[in-house]
Amino acid sequence: MTEIQRKLFSMQDEKYKDFNSKLIPGVKKDAQIGVRIPHIRALAKEIRNTDEAEKFLNTLPHKYFEENNLHGYLLEGTKDFDEAIEKTEKFLPYIDNWATCDTISPRVFRKNIPALYEKIKVWLKDTHAYTIRFGVNMLMKFFLDENFNDEVLFLVAEIKSEEYYVNMVRAWFFATAMAKQRDKTLLYLAEKKLDKWTHNKTIQKCTESYRISDKDKALLKEMKL
């Protein structure tokens, strides 16, 4: 057992492991330790920028779910943009679940939006489901506000996948876009540019959102396929 694994096991909560394993069916229970997220974040803060952390980031694949999440939280603190891209791309092929995928968001990405955008376009064309999901997550985080452009919606609409966790994030993306870029997103839904499953799931997420007006919720319900 590595020193980082020892640290994680020292924070183990068996009841939490039982609970969390039900939320992440793609990860076997024996590949989970059972460590709550605040404890993993605290460990990331403790070891960030140390030789121990650097060795850990360069040792792939990891054995446990919590190690993968720790890896994601360590990436958040990478200060150089090119280094963050390089380390993220090295890690993406090893991601095997939505929870780990959704933890990764290096803050430095905001410092080079044009270069990030070009990288996202590459990730969206990958064959690995969680690389695609990560790309959609990055569009949702960085490109639905001041960095929005018309192509953003097109990029996500054009994704063709049978993967549940890819299409779920696409629906989540369009529901968020409906809240932030209402008029242009509404056109996509009105013109039925999405596949049926993602279209209907988007509408469901919109009707569940407090950020969508009751008037728009009623309108969207009429568009269900």
Side-chain angles (χ1 to χ4, degrees):
M1 185 180 292
T2 68
E3 182 59 27
I4 283 179
Q5 286 173 348
R6 289 190 186 94
K7 290 177 179 179
L8 289 168
F9 270 96
S10 74
M11 299 179 281
Q12 185 179 45
D13 182 333
E14 289 284 1
K15 289 184 178 179
Y16 180 72
K17 176 180 176 178
D18 291 340
F19 167 77
N20 202 47
S21 63
K22 297 174 184 176
L23 302 178
I24 312 169
V27 180
K28 293 180 179 179
K29 192 173 181 179
D30 61 5
Q32 298 185 48
I33 299 171
V35 183
R36 294 178 183 273
I37 290 173
H39 297 319
I40 302 176
R41 282 192 172 278
L43 179 57
K45 185 177 181 181
E46 174 190 328
I47 68 172
R48 184 171 286 136
N49 299 321
T50 65
D51 290 341
E52 181 182 27
E54 194 62 26
K55 181 179 179 181
F56 174 77
L57 289 172
N58 287 309
T59 305
L60 289 166
H62 301 304
K63 182 176 181 180
Y64 294 104
F65 166 74
E66 286 82 0
E67 289 182 287
N68 283 328
N69 285 357
L70 176 63
H71 195 122
Y73 294 137
L74 285 170
L75 289 176
E76 285 184 351
T78 307
K79 295 181 179 180
D80 179 79
F81 176 83
D82 291 334
E83 181 184 355
I85 289 289
E86 180 182 354
K87 287 182 175 179
T88 297
E89 291 193 314
K90 183 178 180 181
F91 183 46
L92 286 175
Y94 297 98
I95 297 174
D96 61 359
N97 68 89
W98 67 267
T100 299
C101 184
D102 295 358
T103 66
I104 307 170
S105 183
R107 291 186 288 273
V108 74
F109 278 4
R110 195 177 295 279
K111 292 188 176 181
N112 197 334
I113 290 296
L116 175 62
Y117 191 61
E118 294 308 310
K119 277 294 180 182
I120 289 172
K121 288 195 234 182
V122 175
W123 296 332
L124 296 181
K125 293 179 181 178
D126 204 277
T127 57
H128 180 51
Y130 292 103
T131 298
I132 300 170
R133 183 179 173 102
F134 177 72
V136 177
N137 276 334
M138 292 302 95
L139 283 179
M140 185 158 43
K141 182 176 178 67
F142 295 107
F143 293 92
L144 286 181
D145 295 298
E146 69 274 10
N147 299 314
F148 177 78
N149 67 72
D150 291 351
E151 186 185 36
V152 170
L153 299 176
F154 173 79
L155 290 174
V156 180
E158 285 297 293
I159 294 171
K160 300 293 186 287
S161 177
E162 299 298 322
E163 295 284 349
Y164 174 81
Y165 287 108
V166 169
N167 291 325
M168 275 296 292
V169 80
R170 292 174 66 227
W172 182 19
F173 169 88
F174 274 99
T176 305
M178 184 66 192
K180 294 187 172 186
Q181 301 291 340
R182 176 202 180 271
D183 293 345
K184 291 184 177 180
T185 305
L186 189 60
L187 279 176
Y188 265 76
L189 297 172
E191 295 176 5
K192 300 177 175 58
K193 293 185 177 182
L194 304 177
D195 58 275
K196 181 178 178 179
W197 190 93
T198 306
H199 176 95
N200 288 339
K201 184 59 70 173
T202 298
I203 291 173
Q204 177 189 329
K205 286 183 170 291
C206 285
T207 58
E208 294 169 351
S209 174
Y210 67 89
R211 295 187 294 180
I212 308 296
S213 70
D214 290 341
K215 182 178 179 180
D216 279 345
K217 287 179 182 180
L219 179 63
L220 288 167
K221 286 178 182 178
E222 294 178 0
M223 296 180 185
K224 192 171 181 180
L225 299 176

